[in-house]
Structure formats: C-alpha cells, structure tokens
Amino acid sequence: GLTAWIDFSNPDALDYWSKLIQNFLQTKAGVSGLWLDMNEASNFCNGACQSTEHLSIQDLIQARYARNVSESSASSLPSLPSPPSREGFDPVNPPYPINNGNDRQSLNTKAIAMDTRGKYTIQYNAHNLYGITEANVTRQALERITNKRAFVLSRSTFAGHGHYAAHWLGDNVSNYHDLYYSIPGILSFQMFGVPLVGADICGFLGTTTEELCTRWIQVGAFYPFSRNHNVIGSPNQELYVWPSVAAVSRDVLGLRYSLLP
C-alpha cells in the first residue's frame, strides 16, 4: 500500500512513533524488540509513489484535511512544505553522480525523492542518516513504553549506530563466498561503533545445503548477533532440518552460551 515515511529528525516524531509502537505491542503478544528493515530508506518506487487513484501523498493529506474541516475554514488548510529552491542544483541528478545501481541511475531510484523536505533539510542531505535516526527514536519509544532496556535490530546504520541498535549485514547469498566475507564484514562494524552485528546464518538468498549450513553455524555461533534467516519462498533451513546440522548446532551453541556473561 501507499506509505508515508516519517521524518525521524523531527522532535515530534518520538511522540507519534511511540503511539504507533504502543498500539502495535498491544496487538502482538510476546514482542520484546523491534526489527527495522528497508530503512536506508529503500523504496519500491522511484521517488514519490502514486496510489491506485493516482494521488500523491501530498494529495491524500490535503484531501484528508479537506474532509475534516468545514467549507468555511477550508481556506485555512495547513500547507505542506514546498520543494526547496534548487538554484541550478538538482539533488536528484547532481553534477557528480555516484555509480548508483552500477549504471549511474538517478538518486531517486528505489529511494525517497532526494528533494523531499524534512524538518531541517532535504533528503539529499540526510539520506544516509535515516536508519540511525529511526533506530534512535525507536529505542527511545520502546524504553518509554516498556521501562526496560530495548532491543532494536536495524539494517541501515551510520557511525555510532551501536549506541541505539544492533545490525545484520543485509541480504547475503547461500554460498561459501558470503560465509567467508561475513567475518571481515562483522569485524569492520566494530570500527564503525556497531558491536552487536551478525550475518544471516546459512544464507538469505538462494538454497543452502546441509554441508554449508553446518559450516555456517560453526562460524555463526560466535557472531555477536547470531541468527538463522532466509528469504520468503526458500526451502526451510532451520538448524533442526538436518540431524547432522542439529547435532553440530547443539555443540557450538552450547559453547556460545557457556561464554556469555
């Protein structure tokens, strides 16, 4: 469906997000943490999406305002922020583009429109901070609601992100190449200030094998953040699917737990 992205840099976001999380927790028994995915922010549209009625987010907000006010007060509708004056600079296609998509695609490709204005600046200036601001606000909201130390897992990060949330290395592939490179990936994030990090054990994309899953849990049991996870539609790869993997998993996970403080 149509999605509105919250500007987590806005101080008002904490109260709004806290209400949404509280409503969610009331309907989901047993939830003790939150997993933030696709928060680069990644998008299934290029820039602003359109609804089935071909209305933009701004059109829908204005329409909602219009339904909730009388005809006499319609002229006082609050106006939405206007796109910033570009003054010759195009944040969607800057003069020094990155090799986006390995094809120098527009920065709007599968992302929030770069000229979208938030509380303090446009998306072009704040895109790489979206994940850490969401993690920060989510952690504050959870701790406000539960009065307990929060667990938040986030795909998008920035330097120092570990103060707010854990991280996993994203969509890896079920092969030995990605098993191998999970180790330098995790070690790198220690330098970025994200100590609680791991990779999807047995691989996320593709089909794993009994041997690969065995080797991966032997390594993954010692990831700071350790989980088995794969894409929807892939064959089951829980550690108990193969008796041999289950036996090895009991040994290495038992060792992991014996080392935890």
Side-chain angles (χ1 to χ4, degrees):
L2 204 60
T3 300
W5 295 93
I6 297 172
D7 175 13
F8 288 102
S9 69
N10 190 322
D12 294 334
L14 178 57
D15 288 340
Y16 177 72
W17 196 229
S18 295
K19 292 176 182 176
L20 294 181
I21 291 176
Q22 188 165 32
N23 291 339
F24 174 76
L25 294 180
Q26 288 173 348
T27 62
K28 302 292 182 180
V31 172
S32 56
L34 290 177
W35 173 10
L36 309 176
D37 199 1
M38 307 288 286
N39 58 334
E40 287 74 24
S42 183
N43 193 359
F44 288 105
C45 303
N46 297 331
C49 298
Q50 302 295 320
S51 74
T52 55
E53 298 176 350
H54 306 293
L55 294 176
S56 68
I57 287 290
Q58 291 193 349
D59 293 333
L60 292 171
I61 292 175
Q62 293 287 17
R64 175 165 293 185
Y65 278 134
R67 287 197 300 270
N68 293 336
V69 296
S70 63
E71 290 292 334
S72 62
S73 61
S75 60
S76 62
L77 290 175
S79 59
L80 294 168
S82 301
S85 174
R86 296 183 178 178
E87 299 178 354
F89 173 70
D90 182 359
V92 178
N93 296 288
Y96 36 86
I98 62 172
N99 193 18
N100 193 24
N102 204 32
D103 191 31
R104 295 191 179 277
Q105 297 173 5
S106 162
L107 294 183
N108 275 5
T109 303
K110 303 303 181 184
I112 300 173
M114 292 295 114
D115 57 1
T116 300
R117 176 166 292 282
K119 173 73 172 179
Y120 298 108
T121 188
I122 59 173
Q123 176 69 191
Y124 177 85
N125 296 325
H127 175 79
N128 288 350
L129 298 174
Y130 195 90
I132 194 171
T133 54
E134 181 183 24
N136 179 14
V137 173
T138 301
R139 175 176 173 266
Q140 290 186 66
L142 268 177
E143 293 184 348
R144 171 192 285 187
I145 295 165
T146 65
N147 200 30
K148 296 179 181 178
R149 183 180 179 183
F151 176 77
V152 179
L153 176 66
S154 174
R155 189 169 82 172
S156 178
T157 65
F158 197 77
H161 172 95
H163 181 72
Y164 309 110
H167 173 61
W168 86 104
L169 297 180
D171 297 352
N172 59 6
V173 180
S174 298
N175 58 38
Y176 285 94
H177 174 277
D178 283 17
L179 164 57
Y180 178 90
Y181 278 101
S182 70
I183 298 172
I186 289 169
L187 293 175
S188 295
F189 270 87
Q190 309 309 302
M191 296 185 288
F192 306 151
V194 190
L196 187 53
V197 58
D200 287 342
I201 294 170
C202 301
F204 178 75
L205 298 169
T207 301
T208 194
T209 65
E210 181 177 358
E211 174 67 20
L212 176 60
C213 214
T214 299
R215 299 307 181 193
W216 211 315
I217 189 58
Q218 288 175 317
V219 175
F222 302 100
Y223 291 162
F225 174 67
S226 181
R227 74 164 182 180
N228 179 323
H229 174 59
N230 65 338
V231 68
I232 188 171
S234 291
N236 293 339
Q237 63 180 39
E238 288 84 0
L239 300 174
Y240 55 76
V241 169
W242 304 275
S244 64
V245 178
V248 169
S249 300
R250 283 191 288 270
D251 288 340
V252 293
L253 291 173
L255 180 55
R256 172 189 176 88
Y257 275 89
S258 73
L259 296 172
L260 291 175

